Amino acid sequence: MIKFENISQLREEIFRNGLDQFIFVKLGNKEVKMYPNSERRMRELAEVCDVPLSYAWYREVADDGTVSNHPTIDYQLGSMRDDFDFGSVVLLNAADTLNASEDFEKEYDDLPDGGWYALRLRLLTGRGALCINEYLYEQTKTDYRKSGEQQHDYVNPRNSEYQKAMEMVFRAHLREINALVHEPLTAEVGSKYFAVEASVVIPVRNRVSTIMDAVGSALSQLTDFPFNVIVVDNGSTDGTRQALLSVPDPRLHVILTEEDEGLGIGGCWNKAIESEKCGRFAVQLDSDDVYSGTDTLQKIVDKFYEENCGMVVGSYTLTDFDLNPIPPGLISHNEWTAENGANNALRINGFGAPRAFYTPIAREILFPNVSYGEDYAMALRISRTWKVGRIYESIYNCRRWGGNSDAALSIEKTNENNTYKDFIRTIELLARIHENMEEPELPF
């Protein structure tokens, strides 16, 4: 088994073992123990399926000796994020690997990952990978953080150099497959009539302990334009609904839905933006978060008019339940650039918050009716065509607490979420290729 260091070293090893059809590569520094006959199993399946890369489910061994199952997910065309989990062991087709890396320059060896990301993007775009749904080895567990603590690694400042390098690699890949987004369109945001300028949209279900904080934060905004707050209560049974209906402020509009309507968060958003009460701009506020000041809404609307954007995204501070900042603190997504932000957004897992949408565009697209990734899908679709405005100062407090829906996810739920976002990326990637080619030749 080859310990992957860089592309040049990998090619040398393949040439050294010239008669081998497949080559095992170890990724990362974790200790690995292959189970009996697992290498044979991987070779046989790779040969039958004729794939360039195979990987498998594995088990993790904790410091105390506890062993836990860690299934992996299928690789899709849109599995383009650099943190896709192959596990520590992959089996590469030697000839395919040599062909994919033939024109790689030595500069790829100097990348933080030795060129692995660039290699697997090119290797898998045309033919895909085989995920073997069997536990074939063990690897040591090194990351004991909960899912809510891991999800912001890609915007942590200490990882900025790595992220810049991966962005460069990814842009080159999109250019190769003709999927780059180029000059975005501006939106004539003042051209239609709306009764109010903005609506703060809050989907909610069973958040009685936090919803009034969110509503109070929204209603306390100081603006030079009229606005309202639209809360979509998705069948709450814990007193949330009663609390909302007790608020006397006429600017608050509560849309009541029931569980049998089958609405996810995206469906609730659609209820809000399609309502006649919705303003020119629909501005996000989660039911357990608050704006960082009374000027948040004004800043967002000002940005729409300054740049004629289809969408505006702000920056937020991670806090505990009592609004005390917690690491990594400010999440500003300052990796975004006007030139490449819409392209790099296909690689990373989010756009930031709060998100705000020009309502006519959002109505034309609509959110997918899911409760995870609905905002990412909308943001990707808008960024494909329309200009995105960014606010890099903190205007939002994102509270992390035990009741957060993503605070401590199981590996099965994490896999489900990652599978869905990879699906979103697959659809968006194909759409971008279609738009760039008169007669698309799809990369599969």
Side-chain angles (χ1 to χ4, degrees), residues 39-101:
E39 293 185 20
R40 174 180 172 178
R41 176 67 169 163
M42 291 185 73
R43 286 178 183 273
E44 289 176 346
L45 293 177
E47 184 172 2
V48 168
C49 297
D50 189 26
V51 291
L53 184 152
S54 302
Y55 60 106
W57 292 1
Y58 59 90
R59 293 189 172 99
E60 286 188 304
V61 183
D63 292 339
D64 62 1
T66 303
V67 179
S68 57
N69 291 337
H70 194 114
T72 52
I73 64 176
D74 288 335
Y75 194 95
Q76 304 178 55
L77 186 63
S79 299
M80 298 173 291
R81 50 196 166 84
D82 53 85
D83 63 351
F84 185 89
D85 181 18
F86 293 101
S88 291
V89 177
V90 296
L91 181 65
L92 300 180
N93 181 294
D96 290 337
T97 302
L98 289 176
N99 289 336
S101 60

Side-chain angles (χ1 to χ4, degrees), residues 26 45 95 103 112 136 163 182 221 295 305 337 409 423 436:
K26 181 175 179 291
L45 293 177
D103 63 344
L136 298 184
Q163 292 297 328
H182 299 289
Q221 294 299 297
D295 57 353
Y305 282 105
T337 63
L409 302 181
F423 165 73
N436 287 341

Side-chain angles (χ1 to χ4, degrees), residues 24 32-44 59 134-138:
F24 278 95
V32 170
K33 183 183 78 172
M34 302 295 292
Y35 293 149
N37 298 316
S38 59
E39 293 185 20
R40 174 180 172 178
R41 176 67 169 163
M42 291 185 73
R43 286 178 183 273
E44 289 176 346
R59 293 189 172 99
E134 302 168 8
Y135 296 102
L136 298 184
Y137 63 94
E138 294 176 358

Side-chain angles (χ1 to χ4, degrees), residues 309-322:
C309 311
M311 176 175 70
V312 168
V313 186
S315 301
Y316 61 94
T317 299
L318 280 177
T319 75
D320 61 20
F321 189 84
D322 298 318

Side-chain angles (χ1 to χ4, degrees), residues 2 11-23 94:
I2 296 173
R11 288 176 60 85
E12 290 172 3
E13 292 285 352
I14 292 175
F15 283 125
R16 190 175 294 118
N17 298 278
L19 298 179
D20 287 346
Q21 181 181 2
F22 300 103
I23 188 165

